[in-house]
Amino acid sequence: MSEPTRFAGLSDRRSFLTRSAAAAILPAWFVQECVSQDKPAPLSSPNERPHIALIGCGGRGRGIAQEASRLGNVIAVCDVDTKHAHEASKQFKGAQVYKDFRKLLERKDLNAILNGTPDHWHTLVNLAALKAGKDVYSEKPLTLTIEEGKRLVAAVRESGRILQTGSQQRSDPRFRLACELVRNGRLGKLTRITTILPAGPYRGPFKPTARPAELDWDFWQGQATAHEYMPERCHLWFRYWLDYSGGTLTDWGAHHNDIALWAMGLDRSGPETVEGKVLAKSVEGGFTAPAQYEVEYTYANGVRHRCLSTTADTIFGSPERGAKPEALHHGVKFEGTAGWIFVTRGHSEASDPELLSRPLSSPKVRLYASNDHMGNFFDCLRSRKAPVCEAEIGHRSASVCHLGVIALRLGRKLRWDAAKEEFVDDREANGYLAREMRKPWTYDMI
Ligand SMILES: NC(=O)c1ccc[n+]([C@@H]2O[C@H](COP(=O)([O-])OP(=O)(O)OC[C@H]3O[C@@H](n4cnc5c(N)ncnc54)[C@H](O)[C@@H]3O)[C@@H](O)[C@H]2O)c1
């Protein structure tokens, strides 16, 4: 990565922060701190630009590859849909096209991969990349199951590679400020957290259709149970099927529940109990993931955490047409004995504005300061330090969401042992920690 590019990235970060201050979005004292924190790791060579490959060239994959192209060279793209792969190759100046990620990972000139595949592919691709000696930026939710997460965390430790989870709210100063205030007692004793997530769709039934010629549907399904092709199971819509994901509880929960754990300092741990209620039934033959729900977690610190779906926001997080500003919009609300703070993308508020604006004098807890999620990944490629959302954090944030989905599926209260990562005396619930993989996919073949 060359100096000019590196510092162009840095000045982008600074101008974002300065604009934030000008618009009074964040308190000025905090913006000043953010600017001084933005010191990139030293370059090992001034001309060094890491070689990157994108695996999974859908909407998000191409978005993160665009971000990565500020700081590295995207030399290869891979997708089981050849149309998506060729579109990405055009976007990244003729990056070489692959269909099979295992072939791509044989390349010796590759430093890191970006994983933009659907959730049911994250772990196998990530494990294969680590084994091939590549660093990884993987989209959230990091895993499909808790068992996958345990294996991934172990593989990252053993390999010494870098893994950044794509829960980018970790690098949004607004969320960090809220977490840091909570951690330092600005709200007195923290009593409740409410994470509000966009509700999922209740559509269906869907009909099988001919698969597009450019798509290898069997490869796309991978470890998941085989089904006839229908567009609603595939691109974008996969997240509303339990075969491939957990619905908005894992999709958005990997962002907002991640913030809840961060604010409690429990992002390498988890809850003690979980229970939940599905609020409306899915349509027979349609999407299977819970779309509207209420989940409640309790923790050893006594905090009660409710995770609710809202129909006031679209699945993309923007307000539904006609939704009132005062409706329940997605975000995270922290309540304590001294007031509350609500934080979401682009906005935060508090029961008393002073709770947000008063500087933190001699705080006991300082959180990992990253103001650019992809930039932090590239910094860590050089420094070899753990990124802001490293594997264990990404795994635990996904786990809390998976626990919610399991409680919704079982419809009863479950007790969780976060140290052992298993349900307490509950064989049925423990049966949901892993999934049987469809042949030929196994952990061992990677
Ligand atoms: N961090 C964020 O804010 C954010 C936003 C959107 C999506 N995401 C995450 O990104 C991931 C992708 O979401 P999307 O909306 O871009 O989905 P998408 O369906 O648009 O793209 C996924 C792509 O992966 C390809 N693919 C599937 N299996 C593959 C395999 N084995 N090898 C190579 N390519 C394969 C698909 O053909 C498709 O092109 C999801 O896990 C999602 O949760 C994160």
Side-chain angles (χ1 to χ4, degrees), residues 55-61 78-81 84 99 101 116-119 121-122 125 139-141 166-168 215 219-220 234-236 238-239 251 255 345:
I55 304 177
C57 309
R60 183 61 181 173
C78 171
D79 203 298
V80 296
D81 181 324
H84 282 194
K99 183 171 131 186
F101 62 94
T117 60
D119 310 2
W121 265 113
H122 289 173
V125 168
E139 266 313 330
K140 49 47 64 178
S167 294
Q168 72 274 12
L215 176 72
F219 203 162
W220 187 99
C234 194
H235 302 323
L236 175 79
F238 66 84
R239 40 177 58 73
D251 191 25
H255 290 299
R345 296 181 180 186

Side-chain angles (χ1 to χ4, degrees), residues 74-385:
V74 181
I75 60 166
V77 294
C78 171
D79 203 298
V80 296
D81 181 324
T82 50
K83 191 168 166 224
H84 282 194
H86 281 104
E87 281 166 4
S89 171
K90 239 190 255 165
Q91 185 176 342
F92 300 106
K93 299 195 181 91
Q96 192 172 349
V97 169
Y98 292 82
K99 183 171 131 186
D100 190 325
F101 62 94
R102 293 166 296 183
K103 209 77 212 129
L104 162 83
L105 291 170
E106 287 170 9
R107 279 183 75 147
K108 297 279 175 279
D109 58 345
L110 194 60
N111 301 107
I113 64 132
L114 310 173
N115 187 348
T117 60
D119 310 2
H120 66 290
W121 265 113
H122 289 173
T123 300
L124 289 180
V125 168
N126 291 339
L127 288 175
L130 295 169
K131 196 166 171 187
K134 315 303 179 200
D135 296 315
V136 173
Y137 181 108
S138 174
E139 266 313 330
K140 49 47 64 178
L142 192 52
T143 59
L144 184 67
T145 66
I146 291 174
E147 170 66 19
E148 283 189 353
K150 287 162 74 175
R151 286 175 182 262
L152 185 70
V153 169
V156 170
R157 277 196 197 123
E158 276 158 30
S159 65
R161 307 313 306 179
I162 299 296
L163 187 146
Q164 171 85 299
T165 313
S167 294
Q168 72 274 12
Q169 289 179 182
R170 283 257 164 176
S171 298
D172 178 336
R174 186 184 319 281
F175 285 96
R176 175 160 51 89
L177 172 63
C179 291
E180 212 160 76
L181 291 171
V182 170
R183 289 284 284 278
N184 286 288
R186 178 61 54 91
L187 297 181
K189 183 171 165 31
L190 181 68
T191 52
R192 288 181 78 90
I193 301 180
T194 312
T195 46
I196 304 142
L197 316 176
Y202 273 116
R203 285 178 36 210
F206 305 114
K207 288 204 182 90
T209 59
R211 78 167 170 82
E214 63 271 16
L215 176 72
D216 185 335
W217 175 232
D218 187 65
F219 203 162
W220 187 99
Q221 293 180 94
Q223 64 160 297
T225 309
H227 286 275
E228 286 182 274
Y229 173 77
M230 37 184 98
E232 295 84 359
R233 277 189 171 271
C234 194
H235 302 323
L236 175 79
W237 299 105
F238 66 84
R239 40 177 58 73
Y240 307 115
W241 298 87
L242 290 171
D243 286 321
Y244 322 115
S245 181
T248 64
L249 184 42
T250 53
D251 191 25
W252 276 94
H255 290 299
H256 291 330
N257 288 339
D258 175 57
I259 296 301
L261 291 182
W262 201 16
M264 289 189 285
L266 292 178
D267 49 4
R268 290 164 202 282
S269 177
E272 287 193 326
T273 66
V274 54
E275 63 189 312
K277 229 179 17 207
V278 177
L279 300 181
K281 271 192 157 177
S282 36
V283 178
E284 187 75 27
F287 295 130
T288 53
Q292 291 175 32
Y293 45 81
E294 281 175 12
V295 177
E296 181 150 335
Y297 304 92
T298 62
Y299 297 83
N301 58 13
V303 173
R304 293 179 72 194
H305 167 196
R306 290 173 77 217
C307 178
L308 313 176
S309 61
T310 176
T311 53
D313 291 327
T314 67
I315 51 173
F316 304 106
S318 50
E320 279 286 2
R321 202 174 299 160
K324 299 209 162 66
E326 64 274 19
L328 198 62
H329 290 287
H330 75 86
V332 189
K333 186 171 185 183
F334 300 104
E335 293 172 76
T337 49
W340 57 262
I341 290 175
F342 174 79
V343 58
T344 190
R345 296 181 180 186
H347 175 74
S348 44
E349 61 184 276
S351 49
D352 176 348
E354 199 254 345
L355 289 171
L356 283 169
S357 61
R358 179 159 45 92
L360 265 174
S361 52
S362 43
K364 282 200 217 77
V365 181
R366 294 316 318 247
L367 298 178
Y368 190 136
S370 159
N371 301 313
D372 174 343
H373 210 56
M374 188 59 76
N376 174 249
F377 175 61
F378 276 78
D379 289 346
C380 294
L381 293 184
R382 291 179 175 71
S383 68
R384 308 312 295 171
K385 290 192 180 137

